[in-house]
Amino acid sequence: MNSPLIGVLSQNQQEHALIKENRRRVIVIGGGPAGLMAAGQAAEAGADTLLLEKMKRTGLKLCITGKGRCNITNIVEISDFISHFGKTGPFLRQAFARFFNTDLMEFFNELGLELVTERGGRVFPASGKAPDVWKVLLQWNKKSGVRIRHSAPVDTIVTHNECITGVVSQGREVPCDAVILATGGVSYPATGSTGEGYRLSESAGHTVIPARQALVPLETAGDEAKKMTGLNLRNVNTRMLINGRKKREQFGEVVFTEFGITGPSILTLSGDAVDGVRKGHTVSLSIDLKPALDEKKLDERLQRDIVSRGKEHMGSLLRGLVPREMVPVCLNFINVPGDRMACNISAKERRRLGAWLKDFRLEVTGYRPFAEAIITAGGIDTREIDPRTTESRKTKGLFIAGELLDIQGDTGGYNLQAAFSTAWLAGRSAANIT
Ligand SMILES: Cc1cc2nc3c(=O)[nH]c(=O)nc-3n(C[C@H](O)[C@H](O)[C@H](O)COP(=O)(O)OP(=O)(O)OC[C@H]3O[C@@H](n4cnc5c(N)ncnc54)[C@H](O)[C@@H]3O)c2cc1C
């Protein structure tokens, strides 16, 4: 907490008073989940902490997470958790060892936020309201003595002999002993995440792995997806093929849109799809609409249906196999008119139907812009960051937390936990207490 004297002094006088008090001055750049966690931790650990947020208020993205419900973490155990970050996971081991999912849940409980765990181990606030997560974080920051300045973009990080000495915001230099950079990635830029941290970190000697969309809806060829806009398929298995070879598969939900396909399974597969498209590979999706039946069992089921419902039109028979919106798409693929009597389809046509149900193909032609990407892949190269503290190996006193780092997790609460864990470590390390 500030000493009572400091409250009545001018900014310059305050800074001199703090130097005399011998408290570490920490500046946190960015008031997203990472910045708020880092600032609160630094202040609780005794540092004089100033959070500079360029937007009119903090936590804009946090408040829209999890479809407005905020999936704060996941209860899976640590190695499983790390595997959800692919190649970028191992960097997080140290941060998770210090502050992991149960610690985060306890932390929020202590702040008075009740939590619930849902299907797939996903943890949400019991109120179902993401802004409640932001509110308790903000209250805790204020209680811990963090000074927050809104509409205060940081333009420059000031260093001397590869050591942090301050930052420049709105033309004014603010001196400090440590900076925590928590400016996020470039997705949903309207929330304030516009990638300024890349430039700031490059100025401090860092390498930035090029940013690209991840957890992003995909665009597909043809008009099949468009014809089925809004259709939500649950319990289907989706395989992603790169140049015809299976790269990854995901069981769950897909949703058709005007431009292509989205939904939890697609978002999970999208990182590899984006990389494939960027490299000029042929990327396609193969959706198994009947994953519970192998080809033989499915064919037996089709034969039974055709015998028992032979007098019906194919259009009507198909409605028992796929959602209504898919029927015209299916008839078109198998090249059978909808008014053909089911008993009149040939064995070859029946097998074509079975093959389509097991392998509904969509060619991926592209992906949606950053404005629609849940997270940003790429960011500050983690090899240049000490994973035990999150301190830069290039500039002393510079700490990095959250999505600005080159880490990317699946959907399911993984990304927020990574932001909170790296920020916990950054805040305490910057305050010199770890
Ligand atoms: C629609 C959506 C839903 C999501 N749902 C979930 C979910 O349910 N669970 C989950 O785990 N993850 C979810 N995510 C991902 C998660 O929100 C992010 O990973 C997380 O917000 C990253 O936190 P951060 O603090 O690193 O960055 P951000 O949240 O991006 O915050 C960065 C902050 O820095 C500020 N800033 C930027 N530049 C400057 C500057 N120069 N000076 C001062 N301030 C600056 C920005 O204004 C912003 O406030 C979702 C993302 C989106 C877009």
Side-chain angles (χ1 to χ4, degrees), residues 81-99:
F81 207 107
I82 287 172
S83 73
H84 282 275
F85 288 83
K87 280 190 214 137
T88 65
F91 171 79
L92 292 164
R93 192 169 287 281
Q94 308 263 5
F96 288 165
R98 303 295 305 280
F99 187 78

Side-chain angles (χ1 to χ4, degrees), residues 70-83:
C70 187
N71 180 193
I72 62 161
T73 188
N74 197 294
I75 56 161
V76 296
E77 53 85 35
I78 200 156
S79 53
D80 192 357
F81 207 107
I82 287 172
S83 73

Side-chain angles (χ1 to χ4, degrees), residues 29-35 52-55 61 64-66 70-71 152-154 182-184 188 191-193 196 373-375 402-403 413-416 419:
I29 310 176
L52 299 174
E53 165 57 53
K54 76 167 185 188
M55 303 300 275
K61 187 179 281 179
I64 57 161
T65 53
C70 187
N71 180 193
V154 170
T183 50
Y188 277 67
T191 62
S193 324
E196 283 147 57
I374 305 286
I375 61 156
E403 201 176 312
Y414 301 102
N415 290 295
L416 279 174

Side-chain angles (χ1 to χ4, degrees), residues 111-191:
L111 296 185
L113 187 75
E114 222 183 293
L115 302 172
V116 286
T117 304
E118 297 188 0
R119 190 175 45 87
R122 294 162 188 245
V123 180
F124 295 87
S127 66
K129 293 182 187 145
D132 289 352
V133 179
W134 169 66
K135 277 182 206 155
V136 294
L137 278 170
L138 196 61
Q139 278 161 9
W140 169 67
N141 265 252
K142 289 182 179 160
K143 214 173 127 209
S144 309
V146 177
R147 289 174 293 132
I148 300 182
R149 269 189 225 152
H150 301 107
S151 306
V154 170
D155 308 311
T156 314
I157 290 176
V158 190
T159 59
H160 181 68
N161 288 342
E162 293 168 4
C163 280
I164 285 289
T165 58
V167 304
V168 178
S169 175
Q170 295 164 301
R172 181 174 174 268
E173 186 169 336
V174 190
C176 63
D177 305 301
V179 163
I180 300 173
L181 197 49
T183 50
V186 271
S187 26
Y188 277 67
T191 62

Side-chain angles (χ1 to χ4, degrees), residues 167-365:
V167 304
V168 178
S169 175
Q170 295 164 301
R172 181 174 174 268
E173 186 169 336
V174 190
C176 63
D177 305 301
V179 163
I180 300 173
L181 197 49
T183 50
V186 271
S187 26
Y188 277 67
T191 62
S193 324
T194 48
E196 283 147 57
Y198 301 143
R199 179 182 53 79
L200 293 172
S201 57
E202 275 170 347
S203 75
H206 282 282
T207 313
V208 174
I209 313 279
R212 58 229 186 260
Q213 293 93 321
L215 303 184
V216 67
L218 300 176
E219 295 174 345
T220 55
D223 60 356
E224 286 81 23
K226 191 174 180 176
K227 282 184 192 152
M228 299 186 285
T229 296
L231 174 64
N232 188 331
L233 297 177
R234 293 200 173 85
N235 303 324
V236 294
N237 193 53
T238 306
R239 281 174 298 156
M240 199 188 50
L241 312 169
I242 305 273
N243 291 337
R245 293 180 65 181
K246 187 179 101 179
K247 173 87 180 168
R248 202 174 164 187
E249 65 188 312
Q250 186 68 30
F251 181 82
E253 196 174 328
V254 304
V255 180
F256 295 99
T257 68
E258 212 177 316
F259 50 79
I261 189 162
T262 186
S265 288
I266 300 301
L267 295 180
T268 301
L269 297 171
S270 65
D272 288 323
V274 169
D275 288 344
V277 170
R278 284 167 70 97
K279 286 181 187 151
H281 296 324
T282 304
V283 180
S284 45
L285 296 166
S286 158
I287 302 176
D288 182 349
L289 298 160
K290 299 287 168 201
L293 301 174
D294 63 21
E295 272 148 38
K296 188 165 169 284
K297 287 216 174 76
L298 178 61
D299 193 49
E300 286 162 8
R301 150 107 195 255
L302 293 179
Q303 290 188 47
R304 279 199 307 275
D305 279 6
I306 288 164
V307 169
S308 64
R309 301 170 61 187
K311 295 271 153 51
E312 288 179 36
H313 287 156
M314 276 305 287
S316 155
L317 183 121
L318 284 180
R319 277 205 288 278
L321 286 163
V322 294
R324 184 178 40 82
E325 298 89 330
M326 286 199 105
V327 171
V329 176
C330 173
L331 288 167
N332 189 37
F333 265 95
I334 61 170
N335 201 16
V336 167
D339 57 3
R340 167 99 61 86
M341 298 263 272
C343 59
N344 289 337
I345 79 156
S346 66
K348 200 170 161 197
E349 286 164 335
R350 189 192 73 234
R351 280 196 290 274
R352 213 156 56 216
L353 169 60
W356 183 83
L357 289 167
K358 294 296 285 177
D359 180 12
F360 168 40
R361 279 292 167 110
L362 287 165
E363 297 308 317
V364 176
T365 52

Side-chain angles (χ1 to χ4, degrees), residues 37 41 45 78 82 91-107 386-390 417 420-430 432-434:
M37 173 61 86
Q41 290 300 338
I78 200 156
I82 287 172
F91 171 79
L92 292 164
R93 192 169 287 281
Q94 308 263 5
F96 288 165
R98 303 295 305 280
F99 187 78
F100 193 41
N101 51 11
T102 49
D103 306 303
L104 183 66
M105 289 161 74
E106 202 179 304
F107 166 84
D386 183 342
R388 293 164 303 177
T389 58
T390 78
Q417 178 71 52
F420 286 130
S421 293
T422 51
W424 183 93
L425 204 49
R428 296 176 72 89
S429 307
N432 255 345
I433 300 181
T434 49

